[in-house]
Amino acid sequence: MTSATLSTPKAKARLGDRVFSASTVVAGSLILATLAAVAIFLVVQSLPALFAKAGTLPNDAANFWTYVWPLVFGTIWAALLALIVATPLSIGIALFISHYAPRRVAQSLGYIIDLLAAVPSVVFGLWGIATLSGFVQPFYTWLGANLGWFPLFAPPISGTGRTILTAALVLAVMVIPIMTAICREVFLQTPRLHEEAALALGATRWEMVRMAVLPFARSGIISAIMLGLGRALGETLAIAMVLSPAIVVKFAVLQAQSPNTIAANIALQFPEATGVSVNALIASGLVLFVVTLLINMLARYIVNRRKAFSGAN
């Protein structure tokens, strides 16, 4: 057998490695190029709105920042309310699937949770209007009557149930699947030896979860929360369908006039916008782009600072 014949497999393997390496570089560069192109487009199209004169912007705003501030507040407020509801539910469901439920039940429940992620947002919006808002409205009335002294539940209470709290509940249902899936996979990666060592020392199952599973999964839980936050910040159709929006800044969650979000405002106003109003909507999209980017950067920073030990350690 000649030396040329022996070198052929190596040559083929090296060619395959080079092709794969080049493909990954092209794919990564394409993502960066797309991100840069989107950022450039948003900045260029936003300039007329950023320097527009008073009275030319929508809602007769004095300047762009006066116009966009209520939308930024509504976007972040709705997303935070959704996370308050979704985070404990997602962690609880993930723990039940990974450490408590029998295998068949865990598999079936896992499929159902994953299936929720495939439901279109318009379906969630229709569910929020037709079912959820009417279902929670009596509860809102009770909250206003008994806890109206608390600023979050201050009257007047909406008679339709279409409030920012209802929109946040819809958002929570929408982000639960992805947060649960990430937490579940992270919980399953907990080293088996750590769990068995905790149980061998006399810990109950909950104590084992608290001492071994949750510390190991801390970074994964933070990643799931931040990913859910990013999903909630960018949701458009469901919020636009459920909310009765107004250009206001208020923390009350049961009133008919609720703060609008950037994405929902763009979806509702863009078809009829002209001139500088179009640039104002694009500029508000730029603000949402920057907010989402900053949140993702913060998530990466937190995860890098609190990296969990691997199963090999």
Side-chain angles (χ1 to χ4, degrees), residues 204-216:
T204 63
R205 182 173 296 187
W206 162 242
E207 290 173 337
M208 178 271 293
V209 168
R210 183 168 54 86
M211 292 187 298
V213 178
L214 293 181
F216 176 85

Side-chain angles (χ1 to χ4, degrees), residues 45-53 55-58 64 67 273-283:
Q45 294 295 322
S46 300
L47 291 178
L50 296 177
F51 298 100
K53 297 180 180 179
T56 60
L57 292 170
F64 171 73
Y67 164 74
T274 57
V276 180
S277 297
V278 176
N279 300 109
L281 294 175
I282 296 176

Side-chain angles (χ1 to χ4, degrees), residues 65-75 246-249 259-262:
W65 302 111
T66 304
Y67 164 74
V68 79
W69 159 240
L71 301 175
V72 174
F73 171 81
T75 301
I247 306 299
V248 294
V249 176
N260 202 2
T261 67
I262 292 177

Side-chain angles (χ1 to χ4, degrees), residues 38-47 50 64-65 68 262 266 279-293:
V38 171
I40 292 172
F41 166 78
L42 291 175
V43 171
V44 172
Q45 294 295 322
S46 300
L47 291 178
L50 296 177
F64 171 73
W65 302 111
V68 79
I262 292 177
I266 294 174
N279 300 109
L281 294 175
I282 296 176
S284 64
L286 175 62
V287 173
L288 180 60
F289 178 84
V290 173
V291 170
T292 306
L293 184 62

Side-chain angles (χ1 to χ4, degrees), residues 37-260:
V38 171
I40 292 172
F41 166 78
L42 291 175
V43 171
V44 172
Q45 294 295 322
S46 300
L47 291 178
L50 296 177
F51 298 100
K53 297 180 180 179
T56 60
L57 292 170
N59 305 318
D60 295 326
N63 54 62
F64 171 73
W65 302 111
T66 304
Y67 164 74
V68 79
W69 159 240
L71 301 175
V72 174
F73 171 81
T75 301
I76 297 177
W77 183 228
L80 289 178
L81 290 173
L83 282 186
I84 292 173
V85 176
T87 299
L89 289 176
S90 299
I91 295 175
I93 295 171
L95 281 175
F96 178 75
I97 294 175
S98 61
H99 286 82
Y100 286 88
R103 182 179 297 274
R104 291 184 179 179
V105 176
Q107 289 179 346
S108 301
L109 186 57
Y111 292 148
I112 294 174
I113 294 298
D114 293 339
L115 184 62
L116 279 175
V119 177
S121 58
V122 65
V123 175
F124 285 109
L126 291 173
W127 169 71
I129 293 176
T131 303
L132 183 62
S133 58
F135 177 77
V136 298
Q137 201 281 325
F139 178 63
Y140 290 171
T141 303
W142 181 88
L143 283 177
N146 294 274
L147 298 175
W149 53 268
F150 191 63
L152 288 181
F153 309 131
I157 307 302
S158 171
T160 62
R162 296 177 60 180
T163 68
I164 194 168
L165 182 57
T166 305
L169 292 176
V170 174
L171 281 180
V173 175
M174 296 179 68
V175 302
I176 279 176
I178 188 169
M179 294 176 63
T180 301
I182 295 175
C183 291
R184 178 187 63 202
E185 295 304 319
V186 174
F187 293 158
L188 290 174
Q189 296 300 318
T190 305
R192 188 67 179 176
L193 289 176
H194 296 175
E195 298 180 0
E196 293 177 351
L199 294 173
L201 292 173
T204 63
R205 182 173 296 187
W206 162 242
E207 290 173 337
M208 178 271 293
V209 168
R210 183 168 54 86
M211 292 187 298
V213 178
L214 293 181
F216 176 85
R218 186 179 301 153
S219 294
I221 293 173
I222 295 174
S223 299
I225 292 173
M226 291 301 180
L227 191 59
L229 179 59
R231 174 74 173 86
L233 287 173
E235 178 51 41
T236 303
L237 195 54
I239 298 296
M241 296 173 68
V242 173
L243 269 185
S244 297
I247 306 299
V248 294
V249 176
K250 60 171 63 174
F251 288 96
V253 297
L254 304 181
Q255 298 180 6
Q257 283 192 335
S258 301
N260 202 2

